[in-house]
Amino acid sequence: MQKTFAALLLTMLPVSGVAATSKKAHAPVVAAHSHKATITHKAVAARAGTHVVAAKGRKGRIPRTLRTIPVSPAVRERAVDRVEAELTSTASSPFLYPSALNRFFKALGAEQAEHAAGGTEPASQTVRILQFGDSHTAADIFTGAMRAHMQQQFGDGGLGFQFPGHPFAGYHLAGSLRSQSAGWFTEGNRFTALGDGDLGMGGISIETSQPEQSITLETTCTTLQLHFLQQPGGGRLQFSDNGAVISTVATGTDADAVSGASAGTFSYSCTAGTHDFEFTTLDHAPVKLMGLVSEQPGVTYECLGINGAVAPLMLRWNQALFANYLRQRDPQLIVLAYGTNEAGGSAEHLEGYPADFDRLLDNLHRIAPDASVLVLGPADRSMSGSAGRGRRAWHPFAGTERIIAMQKEACRTHGCTFWDTRRRMGGFGSMQQWVAAGWGQPDRTHLTGTGYRALADALYADLIHAYNLYQQHPEIPVQESSNGQTRRNP
């Protein structure tokens, strides 16, 4: 499996960048806006744009540049109509094995009841949704829209888990400002060299051995946690809130403690509202930070995406650290959104994928037995190929089908729910229509902001529909009928 996995890593997609949100650069706060549960984005997408096709190049070689061809507003509007029609027509049977969501729905119902009750006592429950994934997740456009939907309906639980500082270009979470000084370096974003694998729950860490190196976070919450590596000789951090020094965080182990590294957690309770947090190193000593958690009562939808990642990457992180922090988070729903990068591998490279994905699901069930697991299948994709006479053209990519089939089978045998992203987009070849509508990127792999938000609208609507069915008869399990439609047993 190790050799197969290493080969698969070499097929990963390049990263598409997103503008960074950096507090030090005085970037504006990007707030999570609320969106109605709708799949109508015509007002945005119908604007005139460009449709990108491959330019003519030397025979047998993909050209370095792409030629943009204008798309008229009328053509774009027709494409939007077709995409919206597909999203609507596929909504009748969105989930495979939906009964696996019942544990999540039960927790969501309890939180909703508390949120709706109001009263003099402050709300206390937080329902946590964690989405692990690749670049489709890392940009926090899809997850940000899901967060806005869920928090508008069930209460704002804050950002939840996030990477510390600004560990890679383009990292930002809607509703926060963050920064880090220049003396930190990142581990976990180069998949063939993960170092010691001590990467915490999200698979990325930042570290330094220099004093006066800082990270900042500005957001709203009532509790804050810092995940760090507790290690021999570890340095100290000064922690401040809104400019006032609160405490010193020691990341070293006691002199007589058992040698080795372990999961360290610093927790802080604060008043409700916006806080400007800062951690600053004090010593010439190693400090490794693996995560921040900011939350409050309500619902979180947490973004744990890494550009170019594949699902089996999670198996290469230090599993003791991962398990420790995942248990601390106590999620009610774990969302896995992988498959785009895996689909590019050959049949030989993918030979070990089903076993790896099974093992990943087993690990999650073992670590968080009370959490539901929802797998989002990969989106449709097109690839550039020969169109004859030295020309290139875009063709629907069939390789995604293998991953979808593998993930469906894993969900069937491991008690997870599956949401077929490609089918909700309109099926095989639908990416071409999404690009024409202005909802897909010119690379035919990623979506535009409008596209990601439309897809989030669809998932949210599907989840709420299934949740409402559960609420009507929670004692009756949701089942999948022979024609694939979600229904209740009588």
Short mmCIF file of all heavy atoms in Angstrom, two decimals, residues 145-170:
data_model
loop_
_atom_site.label_atom_id
_atom_site.label_comp_id
_atom_site.label_asym_id
_atom_site.label_seq_id
_atom_site.Cartn_x
_atom_site.Cartn_y
_atom_site.Cartn_z
N ALA A 145 -20.32 28.65 2.77
CA ALA A 145 -21.75 28.76 2.48
C ALA A 145 -22.55 27.79 3.34
O ALA A 145 -23.62 28.13 3.85
CB ALA A 145 -22.00 28.48 1.00
N MET A 146 -22.04 26.56 3.53
CA MET A 146 -22.72 25.61 4.40
C MET A 146 -22.76 26.12 5.84
O MET A 146 -23.76 25.97 6.55
CB MET A 146 -22.01 24.26 4.34
CG MET A 146 -22.25 23.47 3.07
SD MET A 146 -23.99 23.03 2.82
CE MET A 146 -24.29 21.97 4.25
N ARG A 147 -21.66 26.74 6.28
CA ARG A 147 -21.61 27.29 7.63
C ARG A 147 -22.68 28.38 7.80
O ARG A 147 -23.40 28.42 8.81
CB ARG A 147 -20.22 27.86 7.91
CG ARG A 147 -20.00 28.34 9.35
CD ARG A 147 -18.61 28.94 9.52
NE ARG A 147 -17.58 28.05 9.01
CZ ARG A 147 -16.75 28.37 8.03
NH1 ARG A 147 -16.81 29.57 7.45
NH2 ARG A 147 -15.86 27.50 7.61
N ALA A 148 -22.79 29.26 6.81
CA ALA A 148 -23.78 30.34 6.89
C ALA A 148 -25.20 29.78 6.94
O ALA A 148 -26.03 30.24 7.73
CB ALA A 148 -23.62 31.27 5.69
N HIS A 149 -25.48 28.78 6.10
CA HIS A 149 -26.80 28.16 6.10
C HIS A 149 -27.12 27.55 7.46
O HIS A 149 -28.18 27.80 8.06
CB HIS A 149 -26.85 27.04 5.06
CG HIS A 149 -27.04 27.50 3.66
ND1 HIS A 149 -27.95 28.48 3.29
CD2 HIS A 149 -26.46 27.10 2.50
CE1 HIS A 149 -27.90 28.67 1.98
NE2 HIS A 149 -27.01 27.83 1.48
N MET A 150 -26.23 26.71 7.96
CA MET A 150 -26.48 25.97 9.19
C MET A 150 -26.61 26.91 10.39
O MET A 150 -27.45 26.73 11.26
CB MET A 150 -25.38 24.95 9.44
CG MET A 150 -25.28 23.85 8.38
SD MET A 150 -26.76 22.82 8.24
CE MET A 150 -26.75 21.99 9.84
N GLN A 151 -25.77 27.94 10.42
CA GLN A 151 -25.78 28.84 11.57
C GLN A 151 -26.97 29.79 11.54
O GLN A 151 -27.47 30.18 12.60
CB GLN A 151 -24.46 29.60 11.64
CG GLN A 151 -23.30 28.68 11.97
CD GLN A 151 -21.96 29.38 12.10
OE1 GLN A 151 -21.80 30.52 11.71
NE2 GLN A 151 -20.98 28.68 12.66
N GLN A 152 -27.44 30.13 10.35
CA GLN A 152 -28.65 30.94 10.28
C GLN A 152 -29.84 30.16 10.81
O GLN A 152 -30.71 30.71 11.49
CB GLN A 152 -28.90 31.38 8.84
CG GLN A 152 -30.12 32.30 8.69
CD GLN A 152 -30.37 32.69 7.25
OE1 GLN A 152 -30.24 31.87 6.34
NE2 GLN A 152 -30.71 33.94 7.04
N GLN A 153 -29.88 28.87 10.55
CA GLN A 153 -31.01 28.04 10.96
C GLN A 153 -30.90 27.56 12.40
O GLN A 153 -31.90 27.50 13.12
CB GLN A 153 -31.09 26.82 10.03
CG GLN A 153 -32.21 25.84 10.34
CD GLN A 153 -33.58 26.39 9.99
OE1 GLN A 153 -33.69 27.30 9.17
NE2 GLN A 153 -34.62 25.86 10.61
N PHE A 154 -29.68 27.23 12.85
CA PHE A 154 -29.53 26.53 14.12
C PHE A 154 -28.68 27.28 15.15
O PHE A 154 -28.48 26.78 16.25
CB PHE A 154 -28.92 25.15 13.89
CG PHE A 154 -29.75 24.26 13.00
CD1 PHE A 154 -29.42 24.10 11.66
CD2 PHE A 154 -30.87 23.61 13.49
CE1 PHE A 154 -30.20 23.29 10.83
CE2 PHE A 154 -31.64 22.79 12.68
CZ PHE A 154 -31.30 22.64 11.33
N GLY A 155 -28.16 28.44 14.82
CA GLY A 155 -27.36 29.19 15.77
C GLY A 155 -25.89 29.20 15.40
O GLY A 155 -25.34 28.21 14.93
N ASP A 156 -25.24 30.33 15.63
CA ASP A 156 -23.84 30.55 15.23
C ASP A 156 -22.91 29.96 16.28
O ASP A 156 -22.71 30.53 17.35
CB ASP A 156 -23.58 32.04 15.07
CG ASP A 156 -22.19 32.36 14.55
OD1 ASP A 156 -21.35 31.44 14.50
OD2 ASP A 156 -21.94 33.53 14.21
N GLY A 157 -22.31 28.82 15.97
CA GLY A 157 -21.37 28.18 16.88
C GLY A 157 -19.92 28.59 16.68
O GLY A 157 -19.03 28.02 17.31
N GLY A 158 -19.67 29.56 15.80
CA GLY A 158 -18.29 29.99 15.55
C GLY A 158 -17.62 29.19 14.45
O GLY A 158 -18.24 28.39 13.76
N LEU A 159 -16.33 29.42 14.28
CA LEU A 159 -15.57 28.78 13.21
C LEU A 159 -15.17 27.35 13.54
O LEU A 159 -14.94 26.54 12.65
CB LEU A 159 -14.30 29.58 12.91
CG LEU A 159 -14.50 30.95 12.27
CD1 LEU A 159 -13.16 31.65 12.12
CD2 LEU A 159 -15.19 30.83 10.92
N GLY A 160 -15.06 27.02 14.83
CA GLY A 160 -14.57 25.70 15.20
C GLY A 160 -13.10 25.57 14.91
O GLY A 160 -12.32 26.52 15.07
N PHE A 161 -12.68 24.38 14.43
CA PHE A 161 -11.26 24.14 14.17
C PHE A 161 -10.79 24.96 12.98
O PHE A 161 -11.50 25.15 12.00
CB PHE A 161 -11.01 22.66 13.91
CG PHE A 161 -9.57 22.36 13.58
CD1 PHE A 161 -8.67 22.07 14.59
CD2 PHE A 161 -9.11 22.39 12.26
CE1 PHE A 161 -7.33 21.82 14.30
CE2 PHE A 161 -7.78 22.14 11.97
CZ PHE A 161 -6.88 21.85 12.99
N GLN A 162 -9.55 25.40 13.06
CA GLN A 162 -8.89 26.09 11.94
C GLN A 162 -7.38 25.91 12.07
O GLN A 162 -6.87 25.65 13.16
CB GLN A 162 -9.24 27.58 11.94
CG GLN A 162 -8.92 28.29 13.25
CD GLN A 162 -9.95 29.33 13.63
OE1 GLN A 162 -9.84 30.47 13.23
NE2 GLN A 162 -10.96 28.94 14.41
N PHE A 163 -6.70 26.02 10.96
CA PHE A 163 -5.24 25.95 11.01
C PHE A 163 -4.71 27.20 11.70
O PHE A 163 -5.27 28.29 11.56
CB PHE A 163 -4.66 25.85 9.60
CG PHE A 163 -5.05 24.60 8.87
CD1 PHE A 163 -5.60 24.66 7.60
CD2 PHE A 163 -4.89 23.35 9.46
CE1 PHE A 163 -5.96 23.51 6.92
CE2 PHE A 163 -5.25 22.19 8.79
CZ PHE A 163 -5.79 22.28 7.51
N PRO A 164 -3.62 27.08 12.44
CA PRO A 164 -3.06 28.25 13.13
C PRO A 164 -2.37 29.18 12.15
O PRO A 164 -1.72 28.75 11.19
CB PRO A 164 -2.06 27.63 14.11
CG PRO A 164 -1.63 26.36 13.45
CD PRO A 164 -2.84 25.85 12.71
N GLY A 165 -2.50 30.47 12.40
CA GLY A 165 -1.80 31.45 11.57
C GLY A 165 -2.29 31.46 10.15
O GLY A 165 -3.48 31.39 9.86
N HIS A 166 -1.32 31.54 9.23
CA HIS A 166 -1.61 31.60 7.79
C HIS A 166 -0.66 30.62 7.10
O HIS A 166 0.32 31.01 6.48
CB HIS A 166 -1.39 33.03 7.29
CG HIS A 166 -2.03 33.32 5.98
ND1 HIS A 166 -1.42 33.07 4.78
CD2 HIS A 166 -3.25 33.84 5.68
CE1 HIS A 166 -2.21 33.43 3.79
NE2 HIS A 166 -3.33 33.90 4.31
N PRO A 167 -0.95 29.30 7.22
CA PRO A 167 0.06 28.29 6.89
C PRO A 167 0.33 28.08 5.40
O PRO A 167 1.35 27.50 5.04
CB PRO A 167 -0.52 27.01 7.50
CG PRO A 167 -2.00 27.23 7.49
CD PRO A 167 -2.18 28.70 7.75
N PHE A 168 -0.56 28.52 4.52
CA PHE A 168 -0.29 28.39 3.09
C PHE A 168 -1.00 29.51 2.35
O PHE A 168 -1.98 30.09 2.84
CB PHE A 168 -0.70 27.01 2.54
CG PHE A 168 -2.13 26.62 2.80
CD1 PHE A 168 -3.16 27.06 1.97
CD2 PHE A 168 -2.46 25.78 3.85
CE1 PHE A 168 -4.48 26.69 2.19
CE2 PHE A 168 -3.77 25.40 4.09
CZ PHE A 168 -4.79 25.87 3.26
N ALA A 169 -0.51 29.82 1.16
CA ALA A 169 -1.07 30.91 0.37
C ALA A 169 -2.54 30.64 0.08
O ALA A 169 -2.92 29.54 -0.32
CB ALA A 169 -0.29 31.06 -0.93
N GLY A 170 -3.35 31.64 0.27
CA GLY A 170 -4.77 31.51 -0.03
C GLY A 170 -5.62 31.04 1.13
O GLY A 170 -6.83 30.95 0.99
#
